[in-house]
Amino acid sequence: MKLGKVEFCHFLQTLALFLCLSGMNQAELTRSRSKPYFQSGRTRIKRSWVWNQFFVLEEYMGTDPLYVGKLHSDVDKGDGSIKYILSGEGASSIFIIDENTGDIHATKRLDREEQAYYTLRAQALDRLTNKPVEPESEFVIKIQDINDNEPKFLDGPYTAGVPEMSPVGTSVVQVTATDADDPTYGNSARVVYSILQGQPYFSVEPKTGVIKTALPNMDREAKDQYLLVIQAKDMVGQNGGLSGTTSVTVTLTDVNDNPPRFPRRSYQYNVPESLPVASVVARIKAADADVGPNAEMEYKIVDGDGLGVFKISVDKDTQEGIITIQKELDFEAKTSYTLRIEAANMHVDPRFLSLGPFSDMTTVKIIVEDVDEPPVFTSRLYSMVVSEAAKVGTIIGTVAAHDPDASNSPVRYSIDRNTDLERYFNIDANSGVITTAKSLDRETNAVHNITVLAMESQNPAQIGRGYVAITILDINDNAPEFAMEYETTVCENAQPGQVIQKISAIDKDDPPNGHQFYFSLTAEAANNHNFTLQDNKDNTATVLTKRNGFRRQEQSVFYLPIFIVDSGSPSLSSTNTLTIRVCDCDADGIAQTCNAEAYILPAGLSTGALIAILACVLTLLVLVLLIVTMRRRKKEPLIFDEERDIRENIVRYDDEGGGEEDTEAFDMAALRNLNIMRDTKTRRDVTPEIQFLSRPTFKSIPDNVIFREFIWERLKEADVDPCAPPYDSLQTYAFEGNGSVAESLSSLDSISSNSDQNYDYLSDWGPRFKRLADMYGTGPDCLYS
């Protein structure tokens, strides 16, 4: 017969217990049949241990140590001569043994989930000799399980999703609970699942923990999220079992089960006719309860009279239909448009076609509003031509513009002068006729691009713009000339018929058939014996020599007049002069020097010597210029020279002792009782060192004619002096004048005249003149005698 899982587990437990007991009995039998155990001093027959299978119940909460079992040897006669010793896992710390009786006790609470069994060793010793009477034996103490652990959801809480409208029984997610109790013993670890919260929408498989839908047609748009509470209970769900719970958040994912629908059957929008092309006219949106790709839709205009004027596109972010203008609107041409617009889902789910159709229609009416528009020209660009020979006032062409509004206001014309700065053209304000206002020159400007403004008479703010391109037709009004400035040379050893220059011509005119130039020598040069001209008939000409050899000392430059005629109607001509220099050439005909003065130099003077001579001359010139410049810039001394300083000024000493109030040099003019003419202007590059001091004790004389004449004479001398500096400078004049009360104080005059004049009165003039009194006084402290 077939066994269930529970029955099979019981069978395995019974079989394991049977095998364990059989093994123990076999072990005891083996011990009893083993060889004798020899002990020193005596011989005996080995006897077996006597004990039972040891099991300890976990989570014992008693106050007394828990009895585990008893160890006993048949050698023990009960007289206390044998003692028992326990070693191994937990010996002494968890398990203790009575060495006299062999009773084993557990002193601590045991937890099978932490350690399921302990391996220990037992030994019986002679108490007197402390020698073993039995061989050491190993045994196991197993911890017997109790239901002390509740089921736990290690992966919880859970989140899951399931499509809306799913059929009953659709799997959502599987939850798993684990129980730390012994799954091989009893029902402590056998878990069953149940749902505590989430009915009637979901259910759970009791044994597997698989959560499934329990109701059909759950609508995300009605409720999109559910919170479930799942319980796991051990002991196969029986009373007294332990339980644990977890939460499961189930989200209904969207499916395309809602078709788009316009909120209104028709829309109306007003737009001005001046709205630019590509402008947005309106935004419409069909409502769709779905989200994401299921709500994506496309719009299209399926009917109406505005198919070519408007277009509709979709905004990917908002799923709105955007109506824009494709062509310019004109109120005078059409005042309204009607559009039939369809909105349809892009992704349709075939399972829900019965809920459709998944599209909708609406009507959009667009009303065009009239605005005051600027005048419009009949053409965007006018092309006109005029000859550059046209006289002032010549009519070039006509432009025309009209008011597109129903009022059809009159239009006035003008030229935007920013496009005609030189004012070459005029326009009639009423008719739009454009005429020339100045003479035209094609070579200056071949095409004139001007802007014509058309303004409404009733509303000058409304201005239209038209563009006119005026091409200037060419006439033959420019004579031909040399194409470039030619540098022509001829060798002294040239042979007759030798080509020395090929020339060409240019003409600023632009004839329709191209240029054709004719070259010839002028009448006065036609019969010269030096050069001739050959017209190559390809707008070029060749200059050739006519005679044999040229000499620079005779003539170093020739001027050849060439006559050039163009092919215009009427034709124009010009005479251009070709300058030909005679040069000394090498063997290859390359010019070396064209200077005629080279023949005047001595025959033995080389080029290097000539350069040396020129360098010497240049050096001498530079030296002369430097000397002249230095003399011109030599400054007139602003203070008196040494000789005049001795005669007419007081020597300045900087080594005077303490107590001197004034250590600065004196200007002798301060001692004169005359007005002093001062020039307040000083040189900017020279700081005057002489300070003019005046004494307030003397009255000034109003007549300064002598000083004025003296200064004017010095000014005249400075004006005509070629060595005077070119800039303003300070001129110092040492002129005392006549009739000075103090007379001359010059030390030279005093010594030369042997004057016995007494200058002791200077001591009365104050401390400023104490130094003079010491120098010129007759006292014992005078400096000179």
Side-chain angles (χ1 to χ4, degrees), residues 308-494:
V309 181
F310 302 93
K311 72 173 183 178
I312 188 168
S313 59
V314 63
D315 187 331
K316 299 296 184 181
D317 296 329
T318 62
Q319 297 301 316
E320 290 179 311
I322 304 174
I323 302 174
T324 56
I325 301 175
Q326 283 186 297
K327 295 182 179 180
E328 291 183 354
L329 303 178
D330 188 359
F331 173 81
E332 288 72 27
K334 191 173 180 60
T335 59
S336 65
Y337 296 89
T338 301
L339 307 174
R340 289 281 294 168
I341 297 177
E342 178 188 59
N345 279 139
M346 297 181 63
H347 310 287
V348 179
D349 193 334
R351 296 176 299 170
F352 306 105
L353 288 177
S354 59
L355 303 176
F358 283 80
S359 63
D360 196 17
M361 302 280 291
T362 189
T363 301
V364 177
K365 187 173 183 180
I366 299 175
I367 306 299
V368 180
E369 296 177 342
D370 186 27
V371 296
D372 190 5
E373 300 174 275
V376 178
F377 283 87
T378 57
S379 176
R380 295 284 298 174
L381 177 64
Y382 294 88
S383 297
M384 301 178 184
V385 294
V386 63
S387 173
E388 63 176 327
K391 297 180 179 180
V392 175
T394 301
I395 296 177
I396 302 174
T398 305
V399 297
H402 68 280
D403 183 7
D405 298 319
S407 59
N408 194 17
S409 176
V411 175
R412 294 182 61 82
Y413 302 95
S414 63
I415 294 177
D416 185 356
R417 291 305 176 183
N418 291 324
T419 62
D420 184 25
L421 297 175
E422 301 295 331
R423 295 181 176 267
Y424 283 108
F425 308 100
N426 287 330
I427 188 171
D428 187 273
N430 298 317
S431 64
V433 174
I434 299 176
T435 58
T436 59
K438 294 173 65 175
S439 297
L440 303 176
D441 185 9
R442 188 203 65 85
E443 288 71 35
T444 302
N445 194 351
V447 178
H448 295 265
N449 294 302
I450 64 174
T451 301
V452 178
L453 306 178
M455 182 187 306
E456 288 186 14
S457 299
Q458 297 179 359
N459 186 6
Q462 295 297 331
I463 301 175
R465 285 173 170 78
Y467 304 97
V468 181
I470 302 176
T471 302
I472 310 302
L473 299 179
D474 184 45
I475 63 171
N476 192 25
D477 58 345
N478 290 277
E481 57 187 13
F482 278 160
M484 58 181 293
E485 190 72 25
Y486 294 102
E487 296 182 359
T488 306
T489 60
V490 61
C491 296
E492 287 184 308
N493 57 356

Side-chain angles (χ1 to χ4, degrees), residues 140-161:
V140 175
I141 298 178
K142 295 185 177 180
I143 311 303
Q144 190 174 6
D145 183 50
I146 64 172
N147 189 19
D148 60 341
N149 291 279
E150 72 277 3
K152 295 181 179 180
F153 294 92
L154 300 180
D155 298 329
Y158 296 84
T159 58

Side-chain angles (χ1 to χ4, degrees), residues 42-58:
R42 58 178 179 172
T43 303
R44 68 174 182 83
I45 302 298
K46 183 180 184 299
R47 299 180 182 274
S48 63
W49 287 95
V50 178
W51 67 64
N52 296 320
Q53 179 71 36
F54 293 154
F55 290 95
V56 179
L57 191 66
E58 69 169 333

